[in-house]
Amino acid sequence: MRQSEDPAALKSGRSRLRRAHERGHYDRESLYQVLDAMPLAHIGYQIGGATSVLPTLQWREGDHVYWHGSAASRAIRAMAGAEVCLTVTCMDGYVLARSAFHHSVNFRSAMLFGVAEKVAGNDAKAASLKAMVDHVFPGRWDTLRPMNAQELKATAVLRMPIEEGAAKIRSGPPKDDEEDYSLPIWAGVVPMAMELKPPQPDPANLEGIVMPDHLSRIRIG
């Protein structure tokens, strides 16, 4: 699907929501916000005629989404040059209604369709891996031992252009049947969020090694 400045450029026959249309968003900004908020993705692909799903970290650079894996991985080899479906989801709360039927969850999700391609060339691959590390752990890459040739050879990086997909978002209180609002039943939202805990040092750290300042900048998304 050709990219366009049209705000509905990512909408297609398979990305268009058939139900709960008001939750669908097809503009890049909505999709980028979800991708940037949650590094964990699930990627659907075909291997040996069977459908499989790979959970892995993703990161975005401009209008491409990236992920990495072992160069020897059957999943990575099956994805390269093939159609895949990548999804990211953030759960924001349980929604408790006055009937079981209207219970729901508040969430933000993104679903992308496209062809995965390998990032070719050691320089480009190393630059993408640096972008991944610094996206999740800002400032850490430059403090690490440089990646050697064998490690770079053993790692594959895939990417997919963000050209077709949708964000789906639900927020706010429960939506009950009008007649149920008069019932003496508590309803509302139980918010939820992922959080980072205090860092735990490796027992094998050298004596005198202190926690680096950049750890204070680590975030989820």
Side-chain angles (χ1 to χ4, degrees), residues 108-185:
R108 291 159 289 149
S109 68
M111 178 177 286
L112 299 174
F113 301 97
V115 176
E117 60 182 3
K118 276 191 175 181
V119 173
N122 286 342
D123 290 345
K125 189 161 59 170
S128 292
L129 292 170
K130 180 181 186 302
M132 177 194 71
V133 171
D134 282 339
H135 176 76
V136 182
F137 316 111
R140 188 160 181 80
W141 180 271
D142 290 336
T143 72
L144 303 175
R145 169 184 61 75
M147 178 175 282
N148 61 45
Q150 182 57 38
E151 291 170 336
L152 195 57
K153 180 180 179 181
T155 306
V157 178
L158 298 183
R159 72 174 194 168
M160 181 174 70
I162 301 172
E163 295 181 339
E164 182 183 3
K168 189 176 181 181
I169 300 170
R170 195 229 186 262
S171 61
K175 296 181 179 178
D176 275 301
D177 294 336
E178 191 61 37
E179 60 271 21
D180 289 344
Y181 283 100
S182 61
L183 296 175
I185 300 172

Side-chain angles (χ1 to χ4, degrees), residues 28-40:
R28 292 182 177 276
E29 187 60 30
S30 295
L31 272 145
Y32 291 172
Q33 287 179 4
V34 177
L35 293 173
D36 295 346
M38 172 53 66
L40 179 63

Side-chain angles (χ1 to χ4, degrees), residues 23-219:
R23 299 180 185 177
H25 302 265
Y26 307 95
D27 60 291
R28 292 182 177 276
E29 187 60 30
S30 295
L31 272 145
Y32 291 172
Q33 287 179 4
V34 177
L35 293 173
D36 295 346
M38 172 53 66
L40 179 63
H42 290 81
I43 305 174
Y45 64 101
Q46 291 278 331
I47 183 167
T51 301
S52 296
V53 176
L54 175 74
T56 187
L57 294 182
Q58 62 81 24
W59 68 99
R60 183 178 65 86
E61 297 178 48
D63 58 1
H64 283 74
V65 61
Y66 289 73
W67 62 98
H68 80 298
S70 168
S73 165
R74 292 174 64 234
I76 294 295
R77 293 201 304 266
M79 291 177 187
E83 285 269 355
V84 301
C85 175
L86 181 147
T87 64
V88 170
T89 303
C90 306
M91 283 188 65
D92 297 322
Y94 289 126
V95 179
L96 284 69
R98 294 164 182 83
S99 69
F101 182 81
H102 287 300
H103 276 57
S104 186
V105 293
N106 283 340
F107 67 94
R108 291 159 289 149
S109 68
M111 178 177 286
L112 299 174
F113 301 97
V115 176
E117 60 182 3
K118 276 191 175 181
V119 173
N122 286 342
D123 290 345
K125 189 161 59 170
S128 292
L129 292 170
K130 180 181 186 302
M132 177 194 71
V133 171
D134 282 339
H135 176 76
V136 182
F137 316 111
R140 188 160 181 80
W141 180 271
D142 290 336
T143 72
L144 303 175
R145 169 184 61 75
M147 178 175 282
N148 61 45
Q150 182 57 38
E151 291 170 336
L152 195 57
K153 180 180 179 181
T155 306
V157 178
L158 298 183
R159 72 174 194 168
M160 181 174 70
I162 301 172
E163 295 181 339
E164 182 183 3
K168 189 176 181 181
I169 300 170
R170 195 229 186 262
S171 61
K175 296 181 179 178
D176 275 301
D177 294 336
E178 191 61 37
E179 60 271 21
D180 289 344
Y181 283 100
S182 61
L183 296 175
I185 300 172
W186 189 93
V189 175
V190 181
M192 67 176 69
M194 291 180 63
E195 64 175 345
L196 297 174
K197 302 292 186 180
Q200 300 177 353
D202 184 351
N205 281 348
L206 296 178
E207 187 176 352
I209 293 291
V210 298
M211 189 178 75
D213 290 340
H214 68 253
L215 283 182
S216 65
R217 298 191 295 274
I218 289 181
R219 62 197 186 281

